[in-house]
């Protein structure tokens, strides 16, 4: 593993599969993410004081720290929710060739 890698795993939820796939396509084309996986999830959360249950679609995207601000701006510009989930998790370990690929595939805007 590259000890100084900048790769992270971003997680963004969407209300439907089409929006999640469109975001993945758009972010890959813009080179803000190297790849993304979309999966259906069951969410339980508090919103405006009430417990909510919802079927959502989770986009798990491999990207770099340098791309996160542009990724957030893109999601906010296209997401229907007032407060979308946009989080990023550090990758504690990964194979060096995979992390190198992520870092090469992602190009932060200048």
């Amino acid at each position: 593993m590259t000890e100084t890698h900048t790769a992270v795993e971003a997680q963004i939820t969407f209300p439907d599969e089409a929006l999640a796939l469109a975001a993945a396509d758009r972010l890959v084309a813009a080179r803000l993410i190297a790849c993304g996986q979309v999966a259906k999830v069951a969410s339980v959360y508090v919103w405006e004081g009430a417990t909510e249950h919802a079927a959502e679609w989770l986009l798990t995207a491999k990207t770099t720290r340098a791309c996160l601000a542009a990724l957030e701006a893109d999601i906010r510009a296209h997401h229907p929710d007032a407060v979308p989930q946009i989080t990023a998790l550090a990758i504690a370990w990964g194979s060096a060739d995979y992390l190198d690929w992520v870092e090469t595939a992602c190009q932060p805007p200048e």
Side-chain angles (χ1 to χ4, degrees):
M1 177 185 84
T2 307
E3 292 298 325
T4 59
H5 74 85
T6 63
V8 296
E9 186 172 275
Q11 296 185 332
I12 306 109
T13 55
F14 295 87
D16 63 54
E17 183 181 24
L19 287 172
L21 290 171
D25 285 337
R26 193 175 58 250
L27 294 168
V28 166
R31 300 201 60 188
L32 294 178
I33 66 173
C35 65
Q37 295 84 32
V38 174
K40 189 173 185 179
V41 295
S43 294
V44 181
Y45 56 94
V46 174
W47 183 250
E48 297 179 349
T51 300
E52 302 287 339
H53 294 83
E56 295 184 297
W57 292 85
L58 176 65
L59 168 58
T60 302
K62 309 315 180 293
T63 188
T64 61
R65 289 182 187 100
C67 290
L68 288 174
L71 180 150
E72 178 187 15
D74 179 277
I75 295 300
R76 288 191 181 280
H78 296 95
H79 204 287
D81 291 349
V83 183
Q85 175 192 325
I86 309 168
T87 59
L89 307 170
I91 297 174
W93 187 90
S95 62
D97 54 349
Y98 182 78
L99 296 176
D100 288 346
W101 170 74
V102 169
E103 292 178 353
T104 300
C106 295
Q107 299 295 318
E110 296 182 16

